[in-house]
Amino acid sequence: MFSNDAEALQSPLSYFCARLIDNVLNRSQHGGPGVASQPLGLRWFCGMHTNMKKDDYASPAGIVISILSQLIHQIVESPAPVTLTDVSILDKLVREEDLLCMFERLVGVLPAGTVLFCVLDGLSYYEDKKRGKDCMDLLTMLARLTRRRPETIHGPMVKLLVTAPLGTYAIHEFFGEEEKLNLEGYYPSHGGFSTKYWDLRMGRAIEN
């Protein structure tokens, strides 16, 4: 999940996100029968893909390509087969040119009871002139998926986690005050949690 590449931008939040999604996927692989016990987990670490000249995926479009591929893979490889509510969507996706619409339509036909986690770490790295608008379009789509009214939900429940290690220009505007957690700029080097602590406490709580 992490790299020794000197250009990679990683923070303690990246570690947290990696362990979090690992636990979600671990539960998916070892959970009991039934779609509701098989959560789906999608992730993208923007700090690993920042150089647009060297990396074709260093953009919001790259995010959508990746999470769409992850979602399709998990639908196909799930221990408890995921039965789409509209299998014809697969033929429609082949003709769909808009990646955002493609992702949203596929999520929309996941069966009721499915929980879909999407973790985007360091999204603020894409808040520049070239990628800013596409970044906002991506967030608009994801926010729409997470905020459907309860009485209209017949598909999955979508949970979104977005981190911005260096602060944001506009990403924070997509979230209410009760949805945001602001961290201090500096924390002492002692304390925190080790991998062992995570496995014994936090990770186990997530899996349960």
Side-chain angles (χ1 to χ4, degrees):
M1 189 67 70
F2 293 92
S3 169
N4 292 324
D5 187 344
E7 294 185 358
L9 300 176
Q10 300 170 130
S11 73
L13 284 174
S14 302
Y15 175 82
F16 172 83
C17 289
R19 295 309 305 267
L20 176 65
I21 205 68
D22 279 351
N23 281 106
V24 169
L25 294 176
N26 184 61
R27 178 178 175 182
S28 177
Q29 294 170 4
H30 300 96
V35 172
S37 64
Q38 306 294 329
L40 303 174
L42 313 176
R43 73 280 196 191
W44 183 257
F45 294 84
C46 300
M48 304 290 292
H49 305 272
T50 58
N51 192 327
M52 296 180 67
K53 294 181 179 180
K54 298 181 180 180
D55 188 342
D56 292 337
Y57 292 93
S59 67
I63 294 177
V64 182
I65 292 172
S66 178
I67 61 177
L68 180 60
S69 299
Q70 292 174 51
L71 180 56
I72 293 173
H73 174 77
Q74 290 178 48
I75 289 173
V76 173
E77 298 295 330
S78 173
V82 178
T83 303
L84 302 179
T85 59
D86 179 9
V87 293
S88 67
I89 192 68
L90 299 178
D91 292 328
K92 298 174 184 176
L93 291 182
V94 174
R95 300 189 296 271
E96 179 63 68
E97 296 181 358
D98 188 319
L99 289 173
L100 292 178
C101 289
M102 188 183 299
F103 180 82
E104 187 171 10
R105 292 176 71 175
L106 183 56
V107 170
V109 296
L110 290 173
T114 304
V115 181
L116 174 64
F117 292 89
C118 183
V119 175
L120 305 180
D121 178 59
L123 188 59
S124 54
Y125 296 136
Y126 292 174
E127 281 189 299
D128 52 31
K129 291 182 179 180
K130 291 185 177 180
R131 296 174 288 195
K133 181 182 182 303
D134 290 341
C135 190
M136 297 304 105
D137 290 342
L138 171 61
L139 274 179
T140 298
M141 181 271 291
L142 292 174
R144 184 163 57 243
L145 288 174
T146 62
R147 290 175 179 155
R148 290 174 296 175
R149 294 182 179 180
E151 62 269 20
T152 66
I153 294 179
H154 300 290
M157 177 180 294
V158 180
K159 299 290 187 179
L160 174 65
L161 173 63
V162 176
T163 72
L166 302 179
T168 82
Y169 292 106
I171 291 174
H172 63 280
E173 296 176 359
F174 284 82
F175 303 93
E177 291 303 317
E178 72 284 357
E179 299 174 314
K180 292 185 286 190
L181 175 62
N182 295 314
L183 302 178
E184 298 293 334
Y186 170 80
Y187 284 92
S189 57
H190 62 278
F193 54 82
S194 63
T195 299
K196 182 178 180 180
Y197 176 84
W198 176 283
D199 292 337
L200 291 176
R201 300 290 297 276
M202 300 178 71
R204 184 170 297 178
I206 293 171
E207 292 182 9
N208 292 334

